[in-house]
Amino acid sequence: MAQGPVKLKPGDTIGILGGGQLGRMLAMAAARLGLRCQVFSPDPDSPAFDVVQAATCAEYADVEALELFANDVNVVTYEFENVPAATAMVLAARRPVLPAQKILETTQDRLVEKDFVSKLGIGTADYADVSSVATLHAAIARIGLPAVIKTRRFGYDGKGQAIVRDGDDIDQIWEDLGTKSAILEAFVPFEREISVIAARSASGQVECFDVTENEHRDHILKTSRAPAAIPDALAAQARAIAEKIASALDYVGVLAVELFVVPGNGAPTVLVNEIAPRVHNSGHWTLDGASISQFEQHIRAIAGWPLGKPVRHGEVVTMTNLIGDDILSYEQWLTVPGATVHLYGKGAPRPGRKMGHVTEVTPPRKS
Ligand code: AMP
């Protein structure tokens, strides 16, 4: 269906696919701007259901439910990148879907994504397509060890990937991965990991937040710090990369680009690891640490409203994820001076489950 540019008015409704904490925080940002949200999720315990008046609890393959949902909303967005293509197609035939469906085809597949980034002339780890144990051996011969093998699709938080080291049983690693489509990446000896959260409007305006530095524990983001402790020139380079990617995708909304900082010739440089076509955990600090949050920027972009120019509050902002049993200490966090506590309203604290986060803003230095 041909659709003109989206221009929502206060009171209009945004449909959000996915009911996790990202959907919840998107809906809260929309509410502050006078916009309503309807959340679509198959999980009856979705944390995002708690903050919206209208919810659809149905499977993503339920065409009738999708059609009814589309009828209720003015525009559709999503909080996770693995939206099934058929789901996006049913919705896109009825309502604008932003970011556009074709973006999912690039970002759902690590090989397609890496090819896309490389064609833009942006550096990534050396990589190879792997579809059998024979091609894995050939890829190792070319790329060398250590290396990281990753399934092309459906990997997150370290799932669907393994480090391959000298002396490992390659055939066993391939069997354990349990897929026929993977990529092998050179292991990057990174100095640090950073991310850029960028917003792009339909008219092509791009606004990036301060580059964020991220530390993972057990493959899951544990803390973020903004700004990243990197030279200004490198931060500018990282932001330029995010802008180039957003523009090349003709992207509307917020996206995150995860990068590795690696030693370069004289000065450090960056390699792109991954693109997330959505708001991102490493941008949670913007809720309390900037004049406009990543969630509000995303809502503004998909509503066809002008983006804000985000200004960071304070010298340094840190964000600490409350993962699994970390949540049991929430009352202690409530007493920490200057800390802002966010709890996602999830049920049991399973290991690895993101239950909430805490932001701390260091006041500006007095000059
Ligand atoms: P990913 O699922 O690709 O975001 O990877 C999760 C985490 O694994 C990253 O944040 C890195 O800490 C680590 N990692 C992924 N790929 C590589 C690589 N090629 N070299 C070194 N570490 C990696």
Side-chain angles (χ1 to χ4, degrees):
M1 188 172 76
Q3 287 153 343
V6 177
K7 186 82 185 170
L8 301 191
K9 309 174 299 304
D12 283 345
T13 302
I14 295 167
I16 301 175
L17 294 175
Q21 67 270 18
L22 301 180
R24 176 178 169 107
M25 291 185 271
L26 280 169
M28 287 157 77
R32 204 157 65 90
L33 296 174
L35 293 159
R36 299 195 169 97
C37 288
Q38 178 158 341
V39 171
F40 190 114
S41 166
D43 178 3
D45 292 328
S46 292
F49 284 169
D50 290 349
V51 302
V52 292
Q53 199 187 7
T56 306
C57 191
E59 297 300 323
Y60 292 118
D62 185 337
V63 174
E64 202 186 330
L66 289 170
E67 286 174 351
L68 290 170
F69 172 73
N71 285 343
D72 285 344
V73 305
N74 301 97
V75 63
V76 175
T77 191
Y78 40 89
E79 58 126 43
F80 69 115
E81 56 271 51
N82 287 319
V83 174
T87 305
M89 221 153 71
V90 170
L91 293 169
R94 287 163 181 81
R95 289 288 180 268
V97 173
L98 294 173
Q101 191 199 338
K102 66 176 180 355
I103 287 157
L104 293 170
E105 288 159 22
T106 304
T107 55
Q108 283 180 351
D109 184 319
R110 289 186 192 273
L111 181 65
V112 177
E113 183 176 285
K114 282 260 180 340
D115 285 345
F116 165 76
V117 171
S118 304
K119 282 200 187 105
L120 291 177
I122 298 168
T124 68
D126 210 2
Y127 65 97
D129 182 8
V130 174
S131 55
S132 63
V133 75
T135 49
L136 176 55
H137 281 285
I140 290 171
R142 181 168 77 73
I143 289 175
L145 293 179
V148 186
I149 182 131
K150 302 179 178 181
T151 56
R152 280 173 58 173
R153 302 174 74 88
F154 301 118
Y156 69 99
D157 287 347
K159 293 190 177 61
Q161 61 176 272
I163 298 182
V164 190
R165 295 185 177 84
D166 253 337
D168 279 350
D169 181 344
I170 306 300
D171 296 25
Q172 190 62 49
I173 286 180
W174 179 247
E175 202 179 310
D176 291 348
L177 202 66
T179 180
K180 286 201 167 57
S181 67
I183 64 168
L184 187 77
E185 288 178 19
F187 186 87
V188 178
F190 56 81
E191 287 176 1
R192 57 187 91 229
E193 293 188 80
I194 59 171
S195 56
V196 180
I197 309 291
R200 187 173 179 277
S201 70
S203 62
Q205 182 192 356
V206 178
E207 298 293 343
C208 295
F209 289 93
D210 289 303
V211 178
T212 305
E213 185 165 338
N214 304 308
E215 277 184 36
H216 296 83
R217 193 201 289 163
D218 302 329
H219 294 283
I220 302 172
L221 182 69
K222 182 58 191 164
T223 57
S224 291
R225 171 196 194 276
I230 56 173
D232 288 348
L234 193 63
Q237 191 189 336
R239 283 197 299 268
I241 286 173
E243 179 161 354
K244 192 169 188 180
I245 288 172
S247 300
L249 289 169
D250 201 13
Y251 198 89
V252 179
V254 161
L255 98 177
V257 180
E258 297 177 43
L259 306 105
F260 298 123
V261 176
V262 290
N265 249 347
T269 185
V270 288
L271 299 174
V272 167
N273 175 33
E274 209 173 24
I275 304 168
R278 53 171 172 78
V279 287
H280 192 258
N281 195 169
S282 68
H284 289 4
W285 66 267
T286 61
L287 275 171
D288 309 301
S291 53
I292 295 160
S293 74
Q294 61 164 348
F295 303 100
E296 177 168 341
Q297 284 288 58
H298 185 77
I299 296 296
R300 288 188 187 206
I302 64 165
W305 294 6
L307 300 180
K309 297 232 173 252
V311 176
R312 175 165 37 87
H313 301 315
E315 196 70 22
V316 174
V317 187
T318 58
M319 188 281 317
T320 306
N321 266 341
L322 302 178
I323 300 167
D325 281 347
D326 292 346
I327 193 71
L328 303 177
S329 63
Y330 77 92
E331 284 200 68
Q332 283 158 28
W333 277 110
L334 291 171
T335 66
V336 173
T340 309
V341 179
H342 299 253
L343 306 178
Y344 303 151
K346 292 185 177 178
R350 290 192 297 272
R353 194 173 194 200
K354 291 174 181 167
M355 305 296 292
H357 72 267
V358 181
T359 328
E360 292 169 283
V361 180
T362 311
R365 257 198 304 255
K366 292 204 177 70
S367 49

